Structures are given as structure tokens and as C-alpha cells.
Amino acid sequence: MTAPAPDPAIVLDLIEAYRRSKSMFAAVELGVFDALSSGPQTAVELAAAVSAHADSLRRLLDACVALGLLARDGDRYHNTDMAAAYLTTTSPRRFTGYIKYSNTAGWKLWEHLADAVREGSHRWQQAYGWDGPIFSHFFRTEEAAHEFLMGMHGFGVHTSPLVAEAFDLGRFRTLADLGGATGHLVIACCERYPQLSGIVFDLPAVVPLAKQIVAASPAANRIDVIAGDFFTDALPPADLYALGRILHDWSEDKIDRLLARIFAALPSGGGLLIAEKLLNDDRCGPRWALMQDLNMLTCTEGRERTLGDYRTILERAGFTNVQGHMTPRPIDAVLAVKL
């Protein structure tokens, strides 16, 4: 008797997976969720609003209902609470900028994943003819850069509070987040720790948006925004530095340079808080970290790492007492100390 065939469910799910992603990407690109912010609409009404073919749009809308992104009452569609929070461009928690980047830049890079594995390098030259992952090439307009930053801000609003509570930061007085973008990590930490003052340190182009976001926080009077490049400019004085989703972008040579600068700037007893997704020690999970590791392969010179990897890198720079904390969301935390 022939043994029964194994269940192909995983294979079939992965065959369909990109179709689900592309359905959401297309709905965001067309402005479906924004158009529905004003209230329920039929497919015909919505097609007129977003300049789409009515029957084809209905098919996409029904797919979005099946995916849990939209709901339908009779022939009228409306946003779910989740879509209103994360898929509309007016929401402060929106992921739309990151989704649009994933749909345009990221999608083309991942198209060449097999070549990235063969050659061990990112795919910017192959996909775009650029020499490296130079985001300024992609974000040629202020509007595109703003929307991407807000997409990352939505991600940070979702994850930074868990980083802020991962360790007891009560002994620190000044937190400087290097490459702090919109300031979501500084805001989360300063709102949790009333003794803490914060500094968002990032490139000049990021400063106006960071100031706008920080101003809306109850801790705004304890947070400064300073322009600078953490590889070349003097670091602002602090007894706790943070690097959120920074180290996974870079090679170990560049990481060593950056950590040496941070270690030299820290006082004795100071700390470094790192927000990255940690791979399990056996590198067999979690899935988000493994997928992000491949993303780093296609679009940067970096990688995701285990806690042991970070301990090796940090101890090489002179740090001690390296601790890790895994969260249920797609970011974890590492804390290291300068004795």
C-alpha cells in the first residue's frame, strides 16, 4: 500500500501568500482605505472616487473583505478598525509609507532574492542600477520621504512601548536615540520614566517631522531634537544611548566604528539600548526575524542577529552585562553597560 501523501497546506499557503500581500498593497496604492474614511460606499461609488474599473475594483474589495481588511454590509464596503488605524494616510499609526516602499522598492529587490543568495550581496544595482541601498535615490521628493518616515513611525508606535518596558531604565537620566527618526522610542521611554530627558538625533532632513511628532507628546518638554550624523558628528552627551533598527543595516566593520564612538562618549555606568528583532539561538525562528534577515540581505549590507551575536559585538566594543529581552511584537531589546 502506498503511504498517504503529506499535507501540502504549507506549500499551497506560500504559493498564495504574495497574492494576499499584493491585494493589500494595491488597495493602499489605489487609495481605497482613504476613500472609505468618509463612510461606507458601493463598489461603483468607490470606483469613481479612486478612478478604477468598477467590476475589477469590486473583486479587489471582496478579496480585502476575505483578508479582514474591509467589511461589507449588503453592497456597501467600509474600513475595519484595523484598516482605519494602519492603512489610511491620515492615521498617526499608519503603515502606509512602509507598505508603499515594500510594494515598489522592496518588491523589486526581493524579485532577485535567489541572486542575493548566490552572490551574498544586496540587489540595488541589479534592480535599480544604483551602487548601494541609498534611500535618497528612492525618496526623491519630500512627500515620499515623509510618508516612509510616518510608516516607520506607525511601526515604532506599535513596538517602542515594549522596548521601553523591557528593562528598568530608572537609573538613567538622559537618553539619546541615534538615528531616532520621528522620536517614537524616546517618546515611549520618556513617557514611561518621568526622571528621563530625551534627545532625538538624526539627519537634518528628519528634524522637522521629529519636532512635530515630539511636540504632541506629554513628555515634549523633556525631549530635544538635534540634527547630526552618528558616524561623523559629535554625539550629544547622554548616559543612555539607543539604536533602534539601526545595527541590522550595517556590516560589522561599520558597527564596530559606531559602537566605538558610543562607548567613548558614554560615562562610566552608562548604557546602550538596542531595539532589533532577535533570532533564536538556533537560528530557526522566529519567522518575522528570519524574513527580516532575508530582507536585510536583499536591501542592505547587514543582517539580523542572535543575542549571542550581539553579545560578541558589544563585548568587543568594551560593553559588559549584555541582556536580551524578546517581545511578542516584531522588535526585541538588548541592553549593555559601560563599567
Side-chain angles (χ1 to χ4, degrees):
M1 178 179 291
T2 304
D7 186 348
I10 292 174
V11 173
L12 294 175
D13 180 70
L14 291 173
I15 288 173
E16 189 197 48
Y18 81 91
R19 301 175 186 178
R20 298 195 297 269
S21 296
K22 268 296 191 179
S23 296
M24 180 179 71
F25 291 171
V28 169
E29 180 181 343
L30 289 166
V32 166
F33 304 105
D34 283 342
L36 289 175
S37 293
S38 61
Q41 298 182 49
T42 67
V44 172
E45 292 168 338
L46 197 55
V50 303
S51 301
H53 182 268
D55 184 62
S56 299
L57 180 62
R58 177 190 57 76
R59 294 159 72 176
L60 177 63
L61 296 175
D62 287 342
C64 288
V65 171
L67 293 172
L69 305 177
L70 295 177
R72 187 180 70 191
D73 295 321
D75 64 349
R76 302 179 72 80
Y77 298 86
H78 61 88
N79 286 333
T80 62
D81 291 343
M82 184 277 302
Y86 302 119
L87 301 180
T88 61
T89 59
T90 55
S91 170
R93 295 178 175 271
R94 63 189 181 268
F95 292 165
T96 51
Y98 194 68
I99 287 170
K100 290 176 181 178
Y101 169 79
S102 299
N103 190 33
T104 51
W107 188 267
K108 293 178 182 178
L109 295 169
W110 271 76
E111 181 181 349
H112 304 293
L113 175 61
D115 289 331
V117 172
R118 289 187 188 102
E119 300 175 19
S121 59
H122 60 69
R123 297 293 97 191
W124 287 87
Q125 178 66 41
Q126 185 176 13
Y128 296 102
W130 302 337
D131 290 333
I134 306 169
F135 290 95
S136 60
H137 279 283
F138 184 74
F139 302 117
R140 290 185 173 89
T141 68
E142 183 177 339
E143 180 182 3
H146 179 278
E147 189 61 19
F148 177 77
L149 284 168
M150 286 305 299
M152 296 306 295
H153 177 74
F155 188 93
V157 168
H158 185 64
T159 58
S160 285
L162 294 186
V163 176
E165 67 185 38
F167 306 104
D168 182 2
L169 305 179
R171 68 184 186 276
F172 299 109
R173 291 295 175 264
T174 304
L175 164 64
D177 189 3
L178 308 179
T182 57
H184 49 81
L185 181 55
V186 169
I187 289 169
C189 290
C190 286
E191 288 181 358
R192 183 174 179 83
Y193 297 97
Q195 90 291 347
L196 196 63
S197 296
I199 299 168
V200 181
F201 188 76
D202 212 321
L203 299 173
V206 179
V207 166
L209 179 58
K211 287 184 175 180
Q212 177 185 334
I213 298 294
V214 165
S217 168
N221 65 335
R222 290 185 278 121
I223 302 174
D224 292 326
V225 180
I226 299 175
D229 183 328
F230 52 61
F231 277 121
T232 58
D233 295 325
L235 303 182
D239 62 345
L240 177 64
Y241 287 106
L243 294 169
R245 292 171 62 87
I246 297 293
L247 295 184
H248 72 169
D249 288 338
W250 304 109
S251 65
E252 292 207 3
D253 176 63
K254 289 183 179 178
I255 290 173
D256 287 345
R257 285 167 44 203
L258 178 56
L259 293 184
R261 301 190 85 232
I262 293 171
F263 190 83
L266 275 174
S268 178
L272 173 60
L273 178 65
I274 296 170
E276 298 281 8
K277 191 62 183 174
L278 295 173
L279 290 166
N280 294 340
D281 290 341
D282 63 6
R283 301 181 186 273
C284 289
R287 186 177 70 182
W288 176 275
L290 292 167
M291 294 299 100
Q292 185 70 345
D293 190 38
L294 290 178
N295 192 51
M296 293 297 100
L297 174 61
T298 64
C299 71
T300 74
E301 57 191 79
R303 62 176 61 232
E304 302 304 324
R305 296 174 170 87
T306 67
L307 177 60
D309 293 333
Y310 280 113
R311 181 173 287 113
T312 297
I313 292 169
L314 288 161
E315 289 179 350
R316 187 166 66 223
F319 290 96
T320 61
N321 193 26
V322 179
Q323 307 171 63
H325 178 88
M326 299 188 81
T327 80
R329 293 182 184 169
I331 206 76
D332 300 313
V334 176
L335 181 65
V337 175
K338 175 181 177 178
L339 292 181

